[in-house]
Amino acid sequence: MNLDATLAAVAATPRLLVVSDYDGTLAEFNTDAYAVSTNPTAERALKELAALPDTEVAILSGRHTEGLKQVTGFDETDLILAGSHGAESNIGKIRALTAEQQAVLDQITTTFEELAAQVEGAFVEYKPYHRVLHLIRATDESKAAEIYERASHADIPGAHLKPGKWIVEGAAIDMTKGTWITIARKQLGATAVIFVGDDRTDEDGFAVLGPGDLSVKVGPGDTKAQYRVPDVSGAGEFFAQLAAARRANGGAGVEGNV
């Protein structure tokens, strides 16, 4: 089936879970991580979806939850905000690091800070369970590429390293977007899941979806997703189409189909 037909079929499921990445999916990238804004078409559509019966909406991001609230303008009364790949969400939440995990995080911190110091413009972002080496502001592209590779393959026992767009993320916990989607599907009783994302970390989410679900990759690059939209604007239009389809052709719990 093409995307329109698949979307219509999934939108009719009795209990739908809609999950979206944020940066590169709902908002364009910026060298200042807090100078971004949510695509207005997507924002309206997600709010509409979240208000429908038997429809859960989540933003699942590598950002920590407080940062996600700041850039999106949403809070938990609007929809589910799953920060740190879900580790900070009430669904699948990690309560505290063990002493061993804290030691791993400390080693990630040391390694990333040493690497960041080697190229002007690089910096390390501190999150509750992660450290993120940012290279989008690096002034020397060749040096930044070298640092990127070294960070991506750093020898830190117990660390979970994830390269992304202009970043390398190091975590002391094994929580991926796929892990969170699997937990959320079960906890929320979703009969189908839609996941939209653009980055390498989103591939973990795409990988856990089944034949009755819908996965959409934003932008270019190899992917496990079933379908693709070209950019953030295309993602916004997808969510608008989904909201209309869910409203008109939704499952048993959606108003007008009870």
Side-chain angles (χ1 to χ4, degrees), residues 110-159:
T110 299
T111 300
F112 279 13
E113 288 287 7
E114 289 175 351
L115 290 171
Q118 297 177 36
V119 57
E120 184 178 352
F123 65 96
V124 179
E125 180 184 7
Y126 287 57
K127 299 179 181 179
Y129 309 105
H130 305 74
R131 299 293 182 260
V132 185
L133 175 61
H134 288 264
L135 295 162
I136 193 170
R137 301 181 194 169
T139 55
D140 185 329
E141 289 188 9
S142 61
K143 185 65 175 178
E146 176 194 333
I147 296 300
Y148 181 91
E149 289 301 315
R150 289 169 61 188
S152 298
H153 300 94
D155 184 13
I156 308 174

